[in-house]
């Protein structure tokens, strides 16, 4: 992001933000409610349209024609606070639908990939369950697997554990931690400071319409 300005009406939420996230890097965004963390994330994949500045994803500058949006979004997976699964579809179908419809994979290919990813998030036995019959933590792990099924180069997480009962937070963070350790490029908005300390390469503190501070977890989180 270069000199990114984002306004809602007269209100400036991001006032000239510069942020570079390198391949394989895990960046955790923290800061008070209303600081613009979610907005920044949503600007990266074009869910929000910026007023000025530039956003470049994997060398491609984001513009807002359908072709550019589709191209950028195909490289980015996003996980929201509310899991956003299709409730009328089994877990396996939640994972295969976009693979066949968007990526053009065969049903068999899509199934194989889905099962591999369900295994990876610890839910191999839930393929035929409906989302409503899963815990929040399980649903969020399905949502992560669904995003990964599109083979994204970048994963964005917007408070992925904030809607969960405390005892279910750990299982989702564990999956994210493994993903980070495996080298996924990630931008994560979270209040989980233990995750930030352990998983982040860089912590970015947002306040006052932009980035107030950025550095290693030690630099940003440990000072008095
Ligand atoms: P954070 O994620 O740090 O809590 P947000 O990015 O959600 O902050 O919000 C930043 C500011 O932008 C807040 O003042 C919020 O009210 C405002 N905002 C967010 N989305 C919209 C919207 N769609 N329309 C108007 N204002 C919005
Ligand atoms: P480690 O063995 O590295 O201390 P764990 O294997 O217990 O960590 O968990 C991996 C990551 O998941 C931790 O870095 C932490 O951020 C997160 N985590 C696990 N369980 C919880 C929990 N109950 N609450 C918050 N975060 C958790």
């Amino acid at each position: 992001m270069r000199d990114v300005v984002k306004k809602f009406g007269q209100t400036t939420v991001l006032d000239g933000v510069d942020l570079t996230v390198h391949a394989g890097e895990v960046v955790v965004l923290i800061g008070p409610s209303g600081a613009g963390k979610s907005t920044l994330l949503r600007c990266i994949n074009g869910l929000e349209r910026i007023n000025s500045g530039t956003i470049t994803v994997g060398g491609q500058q984001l513009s807002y024609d359908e072709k550019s949006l589709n191209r950028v979004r195909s490289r980015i997976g996003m996980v929201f606070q509310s899991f956003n699964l299709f409730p009328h579809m089994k877990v396996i179908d939640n994972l295969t639908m976009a693979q066949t419809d968007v990526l053009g994979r065969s049903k068999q290919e899509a199934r194989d990939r889905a099962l591999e990813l369900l295994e990876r998030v610890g839910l191999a036995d839930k393929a035929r369950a409906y989302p409503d019959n899963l815990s929040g933590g399980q649903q969020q792990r399905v949502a992560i697997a669904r995003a990964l099924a599109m083979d994204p180069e970048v994963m964005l997480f917007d408070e992925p554990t904030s809607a969960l009962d405390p005892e279910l937070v750990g299982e989702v963070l564990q999956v994210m931690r493994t993903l980070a350790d495996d080298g996924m490029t990630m931008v994560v908005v979270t209040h989980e400071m233990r995750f930030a300390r352990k998983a982040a390469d860089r912590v970015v503190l947002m306040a006052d319409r932009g980035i107030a501070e950025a550095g290693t977890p030690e630099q940003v989180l440990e000072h008095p």
Side-chain angles (χ1 to χ4, degrees):
M1 310 184 89
R2 283 291 160 268
D3 205 14
V4 165
V5 174
K6 171 64 189 170
K7 304 177 185 193
F8 290 109
Q10 298 300 306
T11 310
T12 303
V13 175
L14 303 176
D15 193 6
V17 167
D18 287 308
L19 177 66
T20 302
V21 180
H22 298 284
E25 205 179 9
V26 177
V27 173
V28 170
L29 299 180
I30 62 170
S33 176
K37 305 181 295 296
S38 179
T39 301
L40 187 154
L41 217 57
R42 294 163 59 82
C43 286
I44 297 174
N45 67 353
L47 285 176
E48 299 287 355
R49 193 174 177 144
I50 61 177
N51 297 79
S52 63
T54 56
I55 297 178
T56 309
V57 179
Q60 293 176 332
Q61 188 174 323
L62 178 63
S63 58
Y64 298 99
D65 57 286
E66 202 179 323
K67 205 170 143 206
S68 172
L69 282 176
N70 287 340
R71 208 168 46 202
V72 163
R73 285 175 186 162
S74 73
R75 314 176 76 138
I76 300 177
M78 186 148 180
V79 174
F80 299 89
Q81 181 172 337
S82 56
F83 328 117
N84 294 359
L85 298 173
F86 303 114
H88 58 287
M89 289 166 65
K90 288 177 183 150
V91 164
I92 184 81
D93 299 324
N94 265 279
L95 264 70
T96 55
M97 191 179 74
Q99 290 188 69
T100 52
D101 294 3
V102 179
L103 299 183
R105 286 184 184 152
S106 72
K107 279 190 177 147
Q108 191 57 51
E109 268 179 311
R111 265 188 81 76
D112 290 349
R113 180 77 176 125
L115 291 172
E116 177 190 323
L117 286 165
L118 286 174
E119 180 110 24
R120 187 157 159 200
V121 301
L123 294 172
D125 57 334
K126 299 295 184 192
R128 310 206 63 79
Y130 283 91
D132 283 352
N133 295 325
L134 302 180
S135 73
Q138 292 172 331
Q139 289 186 55
Q140 193 60 300
R141 285 184 282 150
V142 171
I144 293 170
R146 185 177 59 178
L148 291 174
M150 305 304 282
D151 296 330
E153 294 160 47
V154 181
M155 286 283 287
L156 307 178
F157 293 86
D158 194 354
E159 302 206 22
T161 60
S162 296
L164 299 176
D165 292 334
E167 72 273 16
L168 302 177
V169 167
E171 64 192 40
V172 172
L173 293 176
Q174 196 78 251
V175 166
M176 292 168 61
R177 186 81 188 279
T178 307
L179 200 57
D181 290 346
D182 288 349
M184 178 58 79
T185 308
M186 295 167 57
V187 186
V188 182
V189 175
T190 186
H191 299 290
E192 294 290 338
M193 291 304 131
R194 187 162 158 248
F195 176 84
R197 271 195 197 90
K198 293 203 160 194
D201 296 302
R202 206 141 45 97
V203 174
V204 171
L205 170 65
M206 294 192 64
D208 296 330
R209 298 181 290 164
I211 293 173
E213 208 183 330
T216 63
E218 294 73 30
Q219 287 168 337
V220 178
L221 300 175
E222 308 302 343
H223 63 68

